[in-house]
């Protein structure tokens, strides 16, 4: 879950959502990232899960990406969600 940097009063039911497709995720030697929907900086999966923020907000460069993250002002709080459905035992 996100750390203490995440504001406690976020109403995630009111948050803007986007559906991810194969072109949304990018790969580098050090892992996967998304483009932050607010500032466009890389948002590594690790930083989204651990901090709820993009790399621009955290001032962390992504290895192999030609994107300068210094001095980026970003107020986006990010969260990844995995939705699924499964058959019950009786339906198999």
């Amino acid at each position: 879950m996100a750390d203490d940097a995440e504001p406690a009063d976020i109403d995630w039911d009111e948050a803007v959502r986007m559906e991810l497709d194969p072109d949304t995720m990018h790969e580098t030697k050090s892992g996967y990232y998304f483009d932050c929907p607010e500032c466009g900086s890389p948002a590594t999966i690790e930083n989204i899960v651990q901090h709820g923020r993009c790399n621009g907000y955290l001032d962390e460069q992504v290895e192999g990406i030609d994107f300068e993250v210094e001095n980026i002002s970003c107020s986006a709080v990010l969260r990844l969600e995995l939705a699924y459905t499964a058959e019950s035992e009786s339906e198999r």
Side-chain angles (χ1 to χ4, degrees), residues 1 8-9 11-13 16-17 36 43 55 57 71 80 86-87:
M1 205 62 166
D9 60 346
D11 182 357
W12 287 108
D13 291 332
V16 176
R17 286 179 164 62
C36 177
N55 288 51
Y57 175 89
N71 300 322
L80 290 177
E87 294 178 2

Side-chain angles (χ1 to χ4, degrees), residues 10-31:
I10 293 177
D11 182 357
W12 287 108
D13 291 332
E14 296 296 320
V16 176
R17 286 179 164 62
M18 59 186 275
E19 193 166 316
L20 304 177
D21 60 41
D23 294 330
T24 309
M25 189 180 311
H26 311 289
E27 182 178 9
T28 67
K29 291 179 183 177
S30 57

Side-chain angles (χ1 to χ4, degrees), residues 7 10 15 21-23 27 29 32-33 36 38 44 54 65 68-70 73 77 89:
I10 293 177
D21 60 41
D23 294 330
E27 182 178 9
K29 291 179 183 177
Y32 295 94
Y33 73 93
C36 177
E38 182 173 323
T44 60
C54 67
I65 303 298
E68 188 59 46
V69 299
E70 290 182 30
S73 175
V77 179
E89 289 292 323

